[in-house]
Amino acid sequence: MSEAEQRQAEPRVLARADHTISRAAMSPNALKVLYRLHGAGFLAYLVGGAVRDLLLGRKPKDFDIGTNARPQQVRQCFRNARIIGRRFRLVMVRFASEIVEVATFRRSPDPPEIEEGETADVLAPTPDADEYGTPEEDAWRRDFTVNGLFYDIADFSVIDHVGGLADLDAGVIRTIGPPRLRFDEDPVRMMRAVEYAARLGFRLDDELADATASMHSEIRRAAPARIAYELLESLKGGSALRIFRGLEEASLLGHIVPEAHEAAVGGNGTILWSLLAAADERYRKEEKLGEETLLALLFLPQFLAALQTAGDRLPRAGDIERLAREQLETAMLRLAISHYRGHIVRAGFLLLTRLMVPPRSGKHVLRTVRHEAFATAWQVMHLLAEVDGRYGSALVAWEQPVRQALEGRAHAIEGPKPGREGEARRRPRRGGRRHNRPKATGGA
Ligand code: ATP
Ligand code: MG
């Protein structure tokens, strides 16, 4: 069937009795929004990932809503609503525990805006009446068939304009429309395809895989902030190992994080995959890792390898600092990572090397714990020690004093003021910092 024929076909509609979506599995706030819009006479659909996840029996991350009400009309329905976005204005309805996003159906295939680090055209006009569209057009501008399903609050039916139900059953990620065209419009969709396939345990449709195989370098055209956003999403959700293996297989990783790609194809692949597996395990245990920690994992194998080339002793602090800066600077620019976040990752690496040898003194522990990058370094060190036993003993030596420091019991770890004995043990420094160089516990 051609796209034109496909688009003229009637949607497939599953009545309430013919699907498994239960309102009990939805966020009560999203339901409130749906009912309020419906009550005001508008179409009100649950859209996108939430419908997909509910049909698969998974817990949706968020509940996005589509409507034919214009943003102003949506806002008038709620006291706690705010319009955001430059081009396609979204309405955010704020509740105590969550924000529900309501978007007016639109026809433009443009990718959705990202609020943080937004790179949208500042001069773009405010929405034009003809940028809005019908529900069907709204389904067609979405990325993958499994992401193009609607749940209609009016009669609790599922509406499928794009063949998403069949692909959910078959376990296939397929673009809506020809993959080459859709990837040309927005190359970030190549990353998203790999993400969904990995997360849902689906396979990539053959035509989609072929398109990616020939177009992977086009990802370089994508706005850095959008790539960084997808990378973080990929690291966060508990499927990082599978997603990054998928990105590597699809030849995308080398363009977006060449540092991780080098690790994957060189001798450090094992450590990269083990770190990502360890991060996934934390997610399963509902132990939250910071975004800086997650980002750091992608660069850690290369950093460790560079440390190791310096021999069995850690390089001195100044050299480590230079190394971390050299390795991370271009990456942070390439991914438009904020200055502050880049600083935390870089400083986190410096602190990490401190944690690789037992603490020298209580003061040393306090200085380390009070550093703004400590939380990142501490999490990274735990993950590292988990995947490489050689870091275990140093970490053990830090555990108790760090706990004491964090509990505010500084006096317990500062120890006695150095008396004569203490002074006698101190060696005079010859050759500057060299003598302070701790012995490395071994690289990875
Ligand atoms: P997640 O569980 O990761 O939130 P999601 O499907 O909800 O999955 P979002 O990134 O939140 O994904 O996007 C919401 C919806 O917007 C998608 O389901 C899809 O329909 C549409 N969408 C998102 N990104 C694009 C894109 N680049 N091009 C076209 N449509 C997109
Ligand atoms: Mg979502």
Side-chain angles (χ1 to χ4, degrees):
M1 225 188 328
S2 75
E3 188 181 329
E5 280 168 320
Q6 240 178 327
R7 291 188 72 145
Q8 273 158 25
E10 284 294 304
R12 184 173 164 203
V13 178
L14 291 186
R16 181 186 191 176
D18 300 328
H19 63 73
T20 53
I21 295 186
S22 142
R23 273 163 290 155
M26 289 179 204
S27 129
N29 295 322
L31 274 172
K32 244 182 253 172
V33 175
L34 285 167
Y35 283 130
R36 178 83 57 90
L37 288 167
H38 175 61
F42 298 110
L43 290 175
Y45 294 171
L46 193 63
V47 300
V51 186
R52 174 200 71 217
D53 287 344
L54 289 171
L55 284 168
L56 290 172
R58 299 167 62 97
K59 193 172 165 345
K61 211 163 57 192
D62 37 39
F63 293 85
D64 296 337
I65 289 168
T67 181
N68 57 350
R70 295 295 160 86
Q72 289 295 347
Q73 295 172 307
V74 175
R75 201 179 54 179
Q76 280 158 17
C77 290
F78 303 95
R79 264 183 314 154
N80 47 337
R82 191 163 73 85
I83 297 182
I84 63 143
R86 295 196 183 103
R87 259 164 77 72
F88 295 103
R89 288 186 285 176
L90 279 176
V91 183
M92 314 262 268
V93 188
R94 189 179 294 275
F95 295 91
S97 57
E98 98 188 281
I99 292 173
V100 176
E101 286 186 13
V102 184
T104 306
F105 298 132
R106 57 186 169 87
R107 60 171 60 137
S108 161
D110 284 3
E113 290 176 6
I114 292 176
E115 208 187 353
E116 197 193 352
E118 201 175 352
T119 54
D121 183 357
V122 189
L123 299 175
T126 47
D128 213 333
D130 58 50
E131 281 169 345
Y132 296 120
T134 62
E136 186 182 356
E137 286 167 330
D138 189 83
W140 277 89
R141 58 106 188 153
R142 292 172 184 274
D143 48 7
F144 306 110
T145 58
V146 295
N147 286 350
L149 297 164
F150 298 144
Y151 171 88
D152 185 354
I153 200 68
D155 58 4
F156 315 120
S157 62
V158 170
I159 304 171
D160 178 11
H161 290 279
V162 293
L165 286 168
D167 285 336
L168 268 188
D169 282 341
V172 178
I173 300 297
R174 186 192 316 276
T175 53
I176 296 175
R180 275 165 217 280
L181 186 76
R182 301 311 309 277
F183 292 163
D184 189 49
E185 252 168 36
D186 176 11
V188 173
R189 290 176 185 145
M190 292 189 281
M191 286 177 74
R192 290 175 56 85
V194 171
E195 261 176 78
Y196 289 115
R199 243 192 269 157
L200 305 175
F202 280 23
R203 68 174 182 82
L204 297 174
D205 153 60
D206 290 342
E207 207 188 321
L208 185 158
D210 288 349
T212 306
S214 61
M215 294 177 75
H216 54 79
S217 61
E218 299 287 309
I219 192 67
R220 292 171 177 271
R221 285 198 282 120
R226 292 196 55 224
I227 294 181
Y229 175 85
E230 294 298 337
L231 283 177
L232 276 170
E233 289 294 298
S234 302
L235 287 163
K236 271 183 206 168
S239 306
L241 174 62
R242 289 220 299 228
I243 297 176
F244 280 85
R245 277 192 189 278
L247 290 172
E248 176 58 28
E249 254 164 55
S251 306
L252 289 164
L253 193 60
H255 301 297
I256 53 189
V257 195
E259 297 81 359
H261 163 74
E262 293 298 332
V265 295
N268 296 302
T270 328
I271 183 114
L272 175 69
W273 305 133
S274 310
L275 286 167
L276 294 178
D280 288 342
E281 184 55 28
R282 293 300 173 91
Y283 177 86
R284 272 188 286 281
K285 293 195 207 146
E286 297 187 22
E287 292 172 20
K288 210 168 150 36
L289 295 171
E291 293 194 341
E292 290 81 9
T293 302
L294 292 167
L295 273 179
L297 298 183
L298 297 179
F299 303 99
L300 186 57
Q302 197 199 35
F303 180 67
L304 292 174
L307 280 185
Q308 210 179 16
T309 57
D312 67 341
R313 285 178 153 255
L314 287 173
R316 34 176 143 174
D319 291 338
I320 296 178
E321 195 167 344
R322 189 175 40 74
L323 199 71
R325 195 171 324 113
E326 275 170 13
Q327 294 207 333
L328 293 171
E329 215 155 56
T330 47
M332 297 300 153
L333 279 176
R334 185 178 350 100
L335 296 171
I337 306 276
S338 76
H339 190 72
Y340 181 73
R341 178 164 283 182
H343 158 72
I344 294 294
V345 175
R346 199 168 51 237
F349 277 174
L350 295 188
L351 288 191
L352 184 72
T353 59
R354 263 196 220 173
L355 298 173
M356 287 175 178
V357 284
R360 288 197 300 270
S361 65
K363 277 216 175 77
H364 187 211
V365 174
L366 279 180
R367 263 208 317 275
T368 305
V369 167
R370 286 173 183 161
H371 196 289
E372 68 261 34
F374 173 73
T376 298
W378 194 235
Q379 287 189 335
V380 172
M381 184 63 183
H382 277 85
L383 293 167
L384 182 57
E386 235 171 87
V387 306
D388 187 335
R390 286 175 296 176
Y391 297 97
S393 58
L395 183 56
V396 168
W398 280 88
E399 292 273 12
Q400 200 197 349
V402 163
R403 208 174 318 120
Q404 288 174 337
L406 292 176
E407 285 165 3
R409 289 188 286 138
H411 59 278
I413 56 167
E414 269 186 298
K417 294 261 176 292
R420 224 172 248 157
E421 225 185 307
E423 272 166 29
R425 267 206 306 265
R426 262 201 224 154
R427 287 214 257 127
R429 272 193 188 178
R430 257 177 291 141
R433 288 160 124 177
R434 245 163 206 290
H435 273 276
N436 266 353
R437 285 208 283 164
K439 194 156 171 44
T441 48

